[in-house]
Amino acid sequence: MQTSCLSAAERDAAAAANALQGARKRAERYGRRRLLTASSPAEPALPPAESSSSPRRLYSPRDRALLIIYTTVAIDMLGSALTVPVMPFLVEALGGDASSLGLLFSTFAVAQIG
């Protein structure tokens, strides 16, 4: 069994310093710009308070871009979901046959590519 020469307070201070160092490494790894500082090694400082003049950002630019992409895909899927069940009835009402229905579906699919 290995005995330690450090007191309990020294062990706690060393553990807090290691935790702070690990937090700094994670902050650097994940690209956080704000450095972690502490008034005491055991507790990190609070982030600076935001001023009332600057609006709070709810979504990052990446999140907004993904929201636009997902919305576009959802509208596209809704268009396909509404077109497919109705199209055979429209083709039949206008005097078309199965080949014209296939041609319409093919043109719709090609139009979605561009």
Side-chain angles (χ1 to χ4, degrees), residues 53-65:
S53 63
S54 67
R56 184 169 178 233
R57 295 175 67 184
L58 296 176
Y59 299 106
S60 70
R62 179 178 179 265
D63 291 341
R64 277 185 254 145

Side-chain angles (χ1 to χ4, degrees), residues 94-111:
L94 295 173
D97 58 350
S99 62
S100 60
L101 179 64
L103 183 63
L104 281 174
F105 277 125
S106 300
T107 345
F108 183 75
V110 169

Side-chain angles (χ1 to χ4, degrees), residues 14-93:
N18 286 339
L20 185 60
Q21 183 180 10
R24 283 187 179 140
K25 285 181 182 179
R26 282 190 301 278
E28 289 172 7
R29 183 181 315 138
Y30 294 116
R32 302 240 166 82
R33 293 181 184 177
R34 180 177 52 92
L35 292 176
L36 295 175
T37 58
S39 54
S40 70
E43 95 184 51
L46 295 174
E50 294 181 13
S51 66
S52 60
S53 63
S54 67
R56 184 169 178 233
R57 295 175 67 184
L58 296 176
Y59 299 106
S60 70
R62 179 178 179 265
D63 291 341
R64 277 185 254 145
L66 285 175
L67 180 66
I68 291 171
I69 291 170
Y70 287 148
T71 304
T72 305
V73 169
I75 291 171
D76 184 45
M77 298 292 261
L78 184 64
S80 298
L82 292 175
T83 304
V84 171
V86 174
M87 191 68 78
F89 298 109
L90 290 175
V91 169
E92 185 181 330

